[in-house]
Amino acid sequence: DQQVKQNSPSLSVQEGRISILNCDYTNSMFDYFLWYKKYPAEGPTFLISISSIKDKNEDGRFTVFLNKSAKHLSLHIVPSQPGDSAVYFCAASASGGIDNFNKFYFGSGTKLNVKP
Amino acid sequence: DARVTQTPRDKVTEMGQEVTMRCQPILGHNTVFWYRQTMMQGLELLAYFRNRAPLDDSGMPKDRFSAEMPDATLATLKIQPSEPRDSAVYFCASGLVTPPDYFSYNEQFFGPGTRLTVL
C-alpha cells in the first residue's frame, strides 16, 4: 500500500501562471518531505524539501507547503516556465531510528506541462 | 563533475534470462539505493545499503532479485530469472550520511537509470 500518493498523474498550465502540485501521505510518522524533478531519460534531481517543524519553505519560484493535520503537502511554482515541464515526485521519510534515515517513500509522480 | 553512473542504459532480454545492472555511486558517498519506476507505483525502493551493508531489501522480490555491493565503488542489482513484469526503469541513487549526525536528512543523487525490457 502506497504511503505517499500523488493523485494527479498530469497537470497542464500556461506559462507565467501558477502550478500547484499536490501530495498526500498516510504515515503520521513522516517528518521530512522532498520534491524531486525528473526530465525524460534522466534521473530525478532534488528540488526542495521541508521539515515537519515548518509549514512552508521557499526557494525562488518554488514553495512547498505542509499541512500536517491533513497529511498533505503541495508544491507551488510561480511563475511557471516551459523549462519546468517535467515529472515531479514527492517523497517522505520518518526518523524512526538510525536505519530509517534517508529512506524515502516516493509518490507515483505528476507530469507537469507548461505551455508557452 | 561528480555523478552516479549506471550501466547499461538500456537492456532488452528474453524471459528467463539473467540481468545484471551496475551502479557506480558518487565517490565518498556511503549510502546506495536501488529504485524501480513503474507507471502504476512510481518510484519503489528495492534495496538500501549503508557502508556497503544491506539495511533494507524488503521491497525486493527475494526469490529472483539480489543486490550487492562488492566494493564501495560498485553496486549491482541482479534478476534471475527475469520476467516480463520486471520491465521498468531501475534507478540507483547515492548519498552521504555522517555519524554521529544521523539526524540530518541528506539529498539522494540519482543516476540516469537502466531501462529494462523483458520480452
Side-chain angles (χ1 to χ4, degrees):
Chain A
D1 188 30
Q2 276 198 295
Q3 299 188 54
V4 177
K5 297 180 182 179
Q6 294 176 257
N7 293 316
S8 299
S10 64
L11 174 68
S12 189
V13 170
Q14 203 67 39
E15 180 179 7
R17 306 294 290 268
I18 184 172
S19 295
I20 300 177
L21 295 93
N22 294 303
C23 178
D24 297 296
Y25 60 96
T26 57
N27 189 341
S28 57
M29 298 301 291
F30 286 150
D31 56 5
Y32 193 72
F33 306 87
L34 307 91
W35 286 92
Y36 275 77
K37 179 166 76 171
K38 183 186 177 305
Y39 292 117
E42 295 182 11
T45 55
F46 171 76
L47 184 59
I48 192 169
S49 63
I50 187 167
S51 162
S52 61
I53 62 173
K54 295 184 175 182
D55 54 19
K56 175 182 173 182
N57 188 28
E58 205 170 337
D59 184 1
R61 297 185 298 112
F62 302 91
T63 303
V64 56
F65 294 91
L66 176 62
N67 182 334
K68 290 185 289 293
S69 61
K71 295 191 181 69
H72 177 84
L73 65 156
S74 61
L75 174 68
H76 293 209
I77 307 173
V78 183
S80 303
Q81 300 174 353
D84 296 330
S85 297
V87 176
Y88 290 78
F89 290 98
C90 130
S93 185
S95 53
I98 287 178
D99 290 345
N100 282 329
F101 286 108
N102 285 285
K103 178 179 176 179
F104 292 105
Y105 296 84
F106 282 81
S108 54
T110 296
K111 185 174 183 179
L112 173 66
N113 178 34
V114 181
K115 297 177 286 187
Chain B
D1 181 25
R3 60 182 68 187
V4 176
T5 58
Q6 290 186 247
T7 56
R9 292 295 309 273
D10 280 282
K11 176 72 176 179
V12 180
T13 191
E14 293 188 348
M15 183 173 63
Q17 295 298 305
E18 178 179 300
V19 174
T20 299
M21 290 169 270
R22 293 177 175 81
C23 166
Q24 183 172 17
I26 291 174
L27 189 65
H29 281 186
N30 60 357
T31 57
V32 172
F33 307 81
W34 282 104
Y35 290 92
R36 175 170 62 183
Q37 183 189 8
T38 61
M39 292 297 291
M40 296 302 295
Q41 295 292 325
L43 279 169
E44 305 172 79
L45 179 66
L46 298 175
Y48 169 33
F49 290 79
R50 182 187 295 151
N51 297 323
R52 296 177 54 202
L55 291 188
D56 188 340
D57 60 1
S58 58
M60 213 161 60
K62 300 291 191 306
D63 55 339
R64 299 183 300 107
F65 284 60
S66 62
E68 295 179 345
M69 281 200 74
D71 60 61
T73 64
L74 176 65
T76 62
L77 180 66
K78 189 175 294 186
I79 308 174
Q80 168 63 22
S82 58
E83 297 180 3
R85 60 180 166 150
D86 301 329
S87 298
V89 181
Y90 290 80
F91 289 102
C92 171
S94 72
L96 178 65
V97 292
T98 52
D101 189 16
Y102 285 116
F103 295 88
S104 63
Y105 292 91
N106 295 297
E107 180 183 348
Q108 294 180 19
F109 296 82
F110 281 77
T114 293
R115 180 177 296 278
L116 174 64
T117 304
V118 183
L119 303 174

